[in-house]
Amino acid sequence: MMKGKLLKIFMVVSFIAGISYSCGLQGDKPLVIWHDKEDEVIDVIKEEIEKKLPDEKVTFIRKENLTDNLKLVGNDPKSAPDMYIFAHDKIGLFATIGILEPMANLISEEALDDYYDFTTQAVSYDGVLYGLPLYFETLLFMYNKEKMDVPPSTTEQLYDYMASHTDSRRYGFVEQHSTPYYSAGWINGFGGEILNNDGTPGLTDEKTEEALEYHKKFITYMPKGSAEYATVNTLFTNKSADSIIGGPWLVPSAREAGIDLGIASMPTIDPVGQPIEPYAGIQGIQVLKVAVQDEAKKERIENLLKVFLEPELQANLALTAGCAPANEKAYDLDEIKDNELVQAIKDAGLNALPMPNRPEMDVMWTVLGNLLSDINIKGLDVKESCEKYQEEAERLIALMK
């Protein structure tokens, strides 16, 4: 009998030890975060985590083709990351395939009270918040102060400037006129739609067609052809173009090239009385559903998210990435108050439109690019082209479903 009791005690002790050992192993496993960022940005995050959670282990993995990889393994607890840092425009896709954990299950509602509304809206889909915004970027109207004394306040002023300051060796203004991300600002400003809120294409919307027709006259004073990224940016940094609509990533190159850089508000579009309204991209962190099935790991993730909520971290991320913080409290910090670029991005972002995050937008980027090429480069009729590519977009979206 004594032997039997001892055996039972031994089995119970072994079982408890096994549980403790398993839990210890789970706690020892680092949290895994995928991302597509530069090392300098991730270093800022690592430093803050080490300060606030010195005992937490986090592994950051830079993933090429992050979207495709998440589509493949997002539901696999053995292969999926616990979290990822990425732009907001794929949230609709990931929410639709069911791999994201709603933020309401991880952070309090009050935690986002100090965030700009457009940043939280951008990381939401069908009314559910799926991400924690970190920082945002948008396009800026930049000009060389040596060439352009006063930036135009309206598009007609811009057009007149282009007409009088463009010749074989100089351009008054350049942009990537046939790249969807850049052209979207003109369409949005007119009140047109690339993709409607219900996921249907808006290429035959009257305002979309008006925007594309109006924009054509500006292209006549820009470089012939597709006006690719390298072409227009080089023209500006070589002082062969007086002004440009470009991203904040152009600012370091412009300053290194000795440009006396000015940043102005987007010109108001005269026919509609609204400014050019480019898209904004919001970078944030999202949590995978498979990562929170274990309560102990879920608690670790919740604690980690509190670090990402800190205004100081968001300020340092924005300064490193050349963007603007999503948390309004970050703008009370001296390093943000005194930074001209961050303030310019913030002001521009408040007048920008977050990129649509619906899955159908993947179709629209390609279709709109082809439409712009036909209109702006081949010189085809706007209305006929819009009708053609509206049908193409509808066909491709139907195939998605």
Side-chain angles (χ1 to χ4, degrees):
M1 186 177 290
M2 181 62 68
K3 286 182 180 179
K5 284 184 179 179
L6 288 172
L7 180 61
K8 286 180 181 178
I9 291 170
F10 175 77
M11 289 173 67
V12 169
V13 170
S14 298
F15 177 70
I16 293 171
I19 292 175
S20 301
Y21 179 66
S22 296
C23 291
L25 281 180
Q26 179 68 27
D28 288 338
K29 288 181 181 177
L31 296 174
V32 176
I33 301 178
W34 285 2
H35 67 92
D36 65 338
K37 304 293 171 269
E38 300 300 322
D39 291 344
E40 293 81 2
V41 172
I42 299 304
D43 287 344
V44 169
I45 299 173
K46 286 180 179 177
E47 185 177 336
E48 194 68 18
I49 293 172
E50 287 169 5
K51 258 195 297 187
K52 297 291 173 64
L53 297 173
D55 295 328
E56 185 58 88
K57 298 182 179 69
V58 182
T59 298
F60 290 87
I61 299 175
R62 192 175 198 281
K63 276 283 178 183
E64 301 295 334
N65 303 315
L66 189 146
T67 299
D68 291 337
N69 278 293
L70 280 176
K71 281 160 57 176
L72 284 172
V73 304
N75 279 314
D76 181 359
K78 293 181 180 179
S79 304
D82 299 306
M83 293 170 274
Y84 70 91
I85 300 171
F86 201 52
H88 78 274
D89 58 313
K90 299 299 181 186
I91 281 180
L93 167 65
F94 297 142
T96 301
I97 62 177
I99 67 173
L100 297 182
E101 179 72 5
M103 279 288 153
N105 298 337
L106 301 165
I107 59 175
S108 69
E109 189 177 341
E110 299 76 26
L112 296 175
D113 283 351
D114 296 313
Y115 282 67
Y116 286 113
D117 287 342
F118 78 92
T119 66
T120 55
Q121 290 165 6
V123 295
S124 300
Y125 185 72
D126 282 349
V128 179
L129 183 75
Y130 285 108
L132 172 60
L134 298 175
Y135 54 90
F136 60 90
E137 63 194 17
T138 189
L139 298 176
L140 304 169
F141 187 94
M142 292 179 272
Y143 64 101
N144 186 338
K145 293 179 181 179
E146 293 177 6
K147 304 279 190 177
M148 180 181 277
D149 295 329
V150 180
S153 59
T154 71
T155 53
E156 287 304 308
Q157 288 179 10
L158 175 62
Y159 181 76
D160 291 342
Y161 185 91
M162 295 171 74
S164 60
H165 292 81
T166 299
D167 56 35
S168 60
R169 292 179 297 174
R170 177 185 177 189
Y171 296 93
F173 169 75
V174 293
E175 64 173 343
Q176 290 174 247
H177 55 69
S178 296
T179 300
Y181 184 73
Y182 289 78
S183 180
W186 294 83
I187 296 171
N188 297 336
F190 253 85
E193 297 284 354
I194 295 170
L195 184 72
N196 294 302
N197 291 334
D198 62 0
T200 57
L203 301 182
T204 51
D205 180 276
E206 182 181 359
K207 293 296 183 182
T208 302
E209 293 179 0
E210 287 177 9
L212 294 170
E213 190 66 60
Y214 179 72
H215 189 216
K216 282 172 66 176
K217 72 177 188 179
F218 295 84
I219 296 169
T220 60
Y221 289 106
M222 294 190 214
K224 303 299 180 187
S226 58
E228 297 292 344
Y229 177 88
T231 302
V232 298
N233 289 349
T234 300
L235 284 170
F236 185 67
T237 55
N238 284 352
K239 302 184 180 181
S240 298
D242 300 356
S243 60
I244 187 172
I245 289 178
W249 46 85
L250 176 59
V251 171
S253 301
R255 287 178 173 160
E256 286 171 14
I259 303 289
D260 186 4
L261 189 67
I263 301 174
S265 300
M266 288 290 176
T268 296
I269 301 170
D270 291 83
V272 293
Q274 296 296 322
I276 295 170
E277 188 180 17
Y279 279 143
I282 291 80
Q283 300 288 334
I285 185 162
Q286 284 71 234
V287 178
L288 276 291
K289 192 178 286 289
V290 294
V292 296
Q293 303 310 304
D294 175 82
E295 283 298 321
K297 183 187 273 193
K298 181 182 177 184
E299 185 177 347
R300 292 170 64 196
I301 289 171
E302 289 170 347
N303 290 331
L304 189 58
L305 288 173
K306 290 174 184 175
V307 177
F308 283 96
L309 286 163
E310 293 287 339
E312 291 80 9
L313 171 61
Q314 296 206 6
N316 289 332
L317 281 174
L319 291 169
T320 304
C323 297
N327 189 328
E328 291 186 57
K329 280 191 173 179
Y331 296 88
D332 296 332
L333 303 172
D334 288 340
E335 59 266 36
I336 296 295
K337 280 182 188 175
D338 300 334
N339 190 289
E340 179 188 4
L341 176 59
V342 171
Q343 293 295 334
I345 298 170
K346 181 201 79 171
D347 293 342
L350 293 176
N351 293 303
L353 185 70
M355 283 186 291
N357 65 12
R358 296 191 61 91
E360 296 89 347
M361 195 62 192
D362 282 354
V363 166
M364 298 311 297
W365 290 123
T366 302
V367 172
L368 180 58
N370 293 333
L371 170 63
L372 294 171
S373 177
D374 279 6
I375 293 171
N376 297 336
I377 300 171
K378 297 177 183 175
L380 300 184
D381 181 77
V382 170
K383 188 170 185 61
E384 290 178 3
S385 297
C386 286
E387 289 172 354
K388 171 186 173 181
Y389 285 105
Q390 175 79 9
E391 291 180 8
E392 176 70 358
E394 289 172 350
R395 183 184 70 81
L396 292 172
I397 288 172
L399 289 173
M400 287 177 65
K401 298 175 179 179

